[in-house]
Amino acid sequence: MIASFMLGFVGSFHCIGMCGPIALTLPIQHLTGWKKLAGMLLYNAGRITAYALLGIIFGWLGKQLYLGGLQQWLSVITGIVLLLAVLVKYTGAGWRKGGALPAVFTSKIKSALGTLLRQQRFRTLFAIGFLNGLLPCGLVYLAIAGAIATGGVLQGALFMAAFGAGTLPAMAGVTWFSHLVTLSVRNRMRSLIPVVISIMGVLLILRGLNLGIPYISPAMSPDTEHVVHNCCHKS
């Protein structure tokens, strides 16, 4: 969970470019004090809820692979994919926006988001945040890969929620202290993104190797091996 939180925290400075304009157009800029804070938290609660929902879906997918005896391989492969993503991204390509989702789905989210933003109503803040959390984002895709590797519905939800919580400080900062989030600060934080992703990739690989290292690469217990064996050999 620490790795997913750090991925969200460091990666959020990269996402300010896409989500920042949305945060700056929320119907809370004219508010002050506790009401502005409540609006900001409501918006971000919507985003984190969307991430947690994705974690439930993809954690369930990971669980099916786990029951099929493929969870260890999935963890290793996911880790390798993350390391390759770092190499591809930071040798020139950049995150591709919208490429992993059908254009129709993406356009519907953007259309609904635009409608809510134009209404400028406090009560729409949670929905705005939720839809924002579903927008295509390379870092969210990487977090989803980690959620799949958790091999469980609850674990996947917690993994994605921790990722969302990691994005909270930067996104809150855009709303409250936009003048402090300078280009220099964003560039310094962005330089840490490949480091965090690489650490997450290495941890997933170690986890899948079943080396018997507590918390990092715990060995599969005999009971778990028995369950997996039975699941894979049912007639």
Side-chain angles (χ1 to χ4, degrees), residues 19-30:
C19 299
I22 295 176
L24 291 173
T25 57
L26 294 176
I28 61 173
Q29 298 304 321
H30 63 289

Side-chain angles (χ1 to χ4, degrees), residues 6-98:
M6 289 305 300
L7 176 64
F9 178 74
V10 176
S12 62
F13 288 84
H14 169 86
C15 295
I16 282 175
M18 182 177 77
C19 299
I22 295 176
L24 291 173
T25 57
L26 294 176
I28 61 173
Q29 298 304 321
H30 63 289
L31 302 176
T32 58
W34 289 107
K35 194 162 186 180
K36 185 172 184 179
L37 177 62
M40 181 194 68
L41 292 176
L42 193 59
Y43 162 73
N44 284 287
R47 287 194 312 108
I48 295 174
T49 300
Y51 295 149
L53 177 61
L54 292 173
I56 290 172
I57 295 170
F58 289 97
W60 177 85
L61 176 60
K63 183 178 181 180
Q64 307 316 303
L65 296 170
Y66 178 85
L67 293 176
L70 301 173
Q71 204 266 343
Q72 283 182 265
W73 282 109
L74 174 66
S75 187
V76 173
I77 292 171
T78 301
I80 292 173
V81 168
L82 292 184
L83 294 178
L84 290 175
V86 171
L87 289 176
V88 171
K89 154 64 182 172
Y90 291 95
T91 52
W95 299 118
R96 302 181 71 181
K97 296 181 180 180

Side-chain angles (χ1 to χ4, degrees), residues 7 15 38 45 63 65 84 86 105 132 134 144-145 149 151 169 182 187 201 206 209 228 232:
L7 176 64
C15 295
K63 183 178 181 180
L65 296 170
L84 290 175
V86 171
F105 181 72
N132 188 14
L134 297 178
I144 285 174
T182 64
N187 286 338
L206 290 174
L209 291 177
V228 172
C232 296

Side-chain angles (χ1 to χ4, degrees), residues 155-224:
Q155 296 92 326
L158 292 175
F159 188 94
M160 291 298 293
F163 167 78
T167 67
L168 184 57
M171 298 312 299
V174 171
T175 304
W176 282 84
F177 309 108
S178 58
H179 62 287
L180 297 179
V181 188
T182 64
L183 179 61
S184 175
V185 170
R186 293 199 301 269
N187 286 338
R188 281 198 294 270
M189 295 304 297
R190 275 200 296 264
S191 68
L192 294 177
I193 294 175
V195 177
V196 176
I197 295 175
S198 297
I199 291 173
M200 189 168 136
V202 170
L203 288 175
L204 286 171
I205 292 172
L206 290 174
R207 178 185 175 186
L209 291 177
N210 196 26
L211 299 176
I213 305 172
Y215 303 107
I216 296 177
S217 183
M220 183 181 289
S221 67
D223 290 340
T224 304

